[in-house]
Amino acid sequence: MIRNEHDINACNTTVPANGGIMNRSISYLIIMIFSIPLFLSSQQAQASSVKGAAVTVYNSGDALVRETRSVNLPAGLASVVFKDVPGTLDPTSVHASAKNMVIRDVQYNYTPITQKNLLDYYVGKEITVVMADPTDAQGRVRRKAVLLGNEGQPIFQIGEEVFAGNYYGFVFPELPKELQGKPMLSLTTDSSTAGSREVALSYLMGGISWNADYSLVLDTNTKGKLEAWATIANNSGTAFNNASLKLVAGNVNRQNRYGNSMHMKGDMVMAESMPAMPSQPRQEQFAQFHLYDIDWPVRLPANGTKQLSLFSSSDVTLEEELVSRFHVRASQWRKPVSQQVEWNLKLMNTKKNGLGSPMPAGRVRVFKQSSDDSLLLAGEDSIGHIAKNGSATINMGRAFDIAIERRQTEYEKLGKNTYRLGWAIDVTNGRDTAQKIVLRESYDGQWEVITSEQGYEKTDAGTIEIPVELPPAKENKTVTVNYTVQVTY
């Protein structure tokens, strides 16, 4: 209890006959006596370490954690402290329950020990600043200074002067108790009876995400083996040992996330032969998403990645596509233009193709053996979520041996916004085998092909595709595609 000087003097004054001062002293005593039971009524209990955790990880970088801890609760009000909780915990999502117990309030404290937090605490207080010695270019001196502010850059008052400039470090008088090395969650509980309870605790947290990593090993350019792995990236600073793990594939909407939601990708180590997992996760539909249930205990490191086998297929067929894209504008081209050729592989997610299960979004790495049987990376691409019977196009890179050069053969302005454009596209094959490519030409506005020496297909309102068959390089033949188009913008 805090009292002022007048109160203290009054308590020490000789009591007069009328008892006026005595009444005031008695009132202080009554207040102190009645305040003691209220203070002691809220006792503190320490929760044990986690007995078992169930972790559900989402693609978005969030996780739902459910765990159980033993607590020896007194009857009535108690403050229960939970240590070893994540620094990325969302305190608004905490839910706890136990038999014969209700929660009165939830408090989460975590102010990490960082230089910024230390400086913020010491604003208006005196610290020691390590600065350059003005008399020695290599020397350092310490100066007592009052920290005036810490917005962007610290500003100090040293004596009568205000200093804002370079410094080498700080020395603080002590570590403030408000700063904590580890986060702490405390609940005020109200229990009808005393005794040991199993408290079920659940919360959302950030810093954990997952995505799929696919390894596709090609036997030929259109045949291969596919392995799907779930890569869980935990950057929350909290480890989960022997956890029950579930993975949700899909874009689950979240708002007003607490803390940092970080994503860290780990590289998958490829081996020519990977050991089989005890079993593959059970997959099921969950709302408008998909759920993978891992049926063996999993350890997630505090800062690292874990990979788990999702599914595999030893025989998948792919469609190979060589395509060159060009977006045509109503400009006059005075010089030839070179075009690149994409090498794509199309994968059908069907049962007939050895797949037919939902394929979560992720990264596809494609490998192929060289002539000495070395397994080399042949391409890598990212794919989105692919439903059953859907397809994915994997961009492998640019084809090396096909050269394309286009020349504008006609340019005429027919009206205010109408143009007539003619093109000659020369395509050359540098391989010893014949190849097929597709020229994919796209237009804006209203357009129409006027003349064409080759067949074409209008695939949508702004695109035509022209298939081209290329003879082997030994024939030394260039295939030229000629067509004319009229465009109105």
Side-chain angles (χ1 to χ4, degrees):
M1 181 177 293
I2 299 175
R3 289 173 285 184
N4 58 37
E5 185 177 354
H6 174 76
D7 294 332
I8 295 172
N9 291 335
C11 290
N12 294 330
T13 303
T14 304
V15 180
N18 61 14
I21 302 296
M22 176 64 76
N23 291 339
R24 195 184 315 173
S25 300
I26 291 173
S27 66
Y28 278 117
L29 181 60
I30 292 172
I31 292 172
M32 292 178 67
I33 290 172
F34 278 94
S35 66
I36 291 173
L38 293 174
F39 175 77
L40 294 178
S41 64
S42 181
Q43 305 176 63
Q44 189 174 87
Q46 183 76 42
S48 68
S49 58
V50 180
K51 283 190 173 182
V55 183
T56 302
V57 184
Y58 297 81
N59 289 138
S60 59
D62 301 296
L64 173 64
V65 179
R66 300 185 304 278
E67 58 186 49
T68 304
R69 305 197 191 197
S70 295
V71 181
N72 192 16
L73 286 176
L77 294 176
S79 177
V80 182
V81 177
F82 292 81
K83 295 183 178 180
D84 301 323
V85 294
T88 55
L89 180 147
D90 182 347
T92 65
S93 68
V94 173
H95 178 77
S97 61
K99 187 177 180 181
N100 299 325
M101 181 200 80
V102 294
I103 304 296
R104 297 301 182 190
D105 64 51
V106 178
Q107 182 173 318
Y108 178 73
N109 301 93
Y110 184 41
T111 309
I113 302 173
T114 65
Q115 177 175 295
K116 183 182 184 307
N117 288 338
L118 278 167
L119 289 171
D120 286 344
Y121 175 83
Y122 274 97
V123 171
K125 302 180 179 66
E126 186 178 75
I127 64 174
T128 300
V129 184
V130 182
M131 309 171 66
D133 188 343
T135 64
D136 182 0
Q138 304 299 322
R140 305 287 186 269
V141 294
R142 295 187 175 194
R143 294 284 186 267
K144 294 290 186 182
V146 175
L147 180 60
L148 299 178
N150 188 38
E151 292 296 325
Q153 181 179 359
I155 299 176
F156 310 95
Q157 182 172 345
I158 303 176
E160 299 299 322
E161 299 178 325
V162 175
F163 173 79
N166 296 327
Y167 51 85
Y168 290 98
F170 310 103
V171 179
F172 300 93
E174 62 180 358
L175 180 66
K177 63 180 180 180
E178 286 83 358
L179 302 188
Q180 302 166 326
K182 294 183 178 180
M184 184 176 69
L185 177 70
S186 59
L187 310 177
T188 299
T189 62
D190 192 351
S191 180
S192 59
T193 58
S196 179
R197 309 288 168 78
E198 295 295 311
V199 177
L201 182 69
S202 67
Y203 51 85
L204 289 166
M205 62 175 290
I208 303 183
S209 64
W210 83 279
N211 61 271
D213 274 296
Y214 298 92
S215 171
L216 176 60
V217 180
L218 296 177
D219 298 325
T220 67
N221 282 2
T222 57
K223 288 281 188 179
K225 303 177 182 66
L226 181 70
E227 290 184 339
W229 294 77
T231 302
I232 302 103
N234 183 8
N235 201 37
S236 67
T238 301
F240 294 93
N241 297 315
N242 297 322
S244 171
L245 183 65
K246 288 181 172 63
L247 307 173
V248 176
N251 300 320
V252 178
N253 191 43
R254 290 280 328 271
Q255 292 184 339
N256 300 324
R257 296 180 188 175
Y258 177 83
N260 294 324
S261 178
M262 304 186 69
H263 183 73
M264 177 177 62
K265 286 189 175 182
D267 288 335
M268 180 171 64
V269 179
M270 274 295 302
E272 294 191 8
S273 177
M274 294 186 177
M277 300 300 295
S279 62
Q280 290 186 341
R282 296 188 301 274
Q283 186 275 327
E284 62 182 82
Q285 291 183 354
F286 165 67
Q288 287 294 325
F289 314 109
H290 286 275
L291 179 68
Y292 294 88
D293 191 351
I294 315 299
D295 61 358
W296 62 88
V298 176
R299 181 185 182 276
L300 296 178
N303 290 287
T305 60
K306 172 74 75 173
Q307 287 200 310
L308 304 170
S309 175
L310 285 179
F311 58 85
S312 64
S313 177
S314 59
D315 186 17
V316 295
T317 301
L318 304 108
E319 296 178 12
E320 185 177 25
E321 179 188 57
L322 296 171
V323 59
S324 182
R325 306 172 191 269
F326 192 81
H327 184 75
V328 182
R329 294 178 176 85
S331 303
Q332 190 169 8
W333 301 74
R334 300 185 183 276
K335 295 181 179 180
V337 180
S338 296
Q339 294 181 213
Q340 302 291 337
V341 179
E342 297 176 10
W343 175 33
N344 297 327
L345 295 177
K346 188 175 181 180
L347 177 66
M348 300 300 297
N349 184 20
T350 61
K351 188 174 182 180
K352 182 180 178 180
N353 200 27
L355 298 171
S357 298
M359 296 179 63
R363 177 173 45 185
V364 182
R365 291 188 181 94
V366 182
F367 299 86
K368 199 173 189 302
Q369 286 184 334
S370 61
S371 59
D372 63 355
D373 293 334
S374 298
L375 198 61
L376 305 178
L377 181 67
E380 180 178 324
D381 198 10
S382 295
I383 60 173
H385 299 299
I386 304 170
K388 179 181 178 181
N389 296 325
S391 64
T393 298
I394 305 165
N395 183 270
M396 301 289 292
R398 294 175 178 174
F400 190 96
D401 296 313
I402 299 177
I404 299 180
E405 186 177 85
R406 71 187 299 132
R407 294 169 287 114
Q408 193 174 61
T409 58
E410 188 175 351
Y411 175 80
E412 184 180 359
K413 188 172 182 179
L414 303 177
K416 183 179 180 181
N417 297 309
T418 302
Y419 301 84
R420 185 182 180 94
L421 307 173
W423 298 102
I425 307 170
D426 298 327
V427 188
T428 305
N429 182 18
R431 286 208 163 190
D432 294 334
T433 56
Q435 298 196 86
K436 295 180 180 180
I437 73 163
V438 173
L439 300 176
R440 191 164 292 160
E441 311 273 295
S442 59
Y443 289 86
D444 297 324
Q446 296 178 334
W447 56 276
E448 179 184 5
V449 176
I450 305 301
T451 63
S452 177
E453 295 180 359
Q454 287 79 15
Y456 66 90
E457 179 184 0
K458 187 174 181 179
T459 57
D460 57 44
T463 309
I464 61 170
E465 290 187 352
I466 305 172
V468 180
E469 295 190 9
L470 300 175
K474 63 183 179 180
E475 295 187 17
N476 195 25
K477 183 179 179 182
T478 297
V479 177
T480 301
V481 175
N482 293 282
Y483 79 96
T484 306
V485 65
Q486 184 171 306
V487 187
T488 299
Y489 294 96

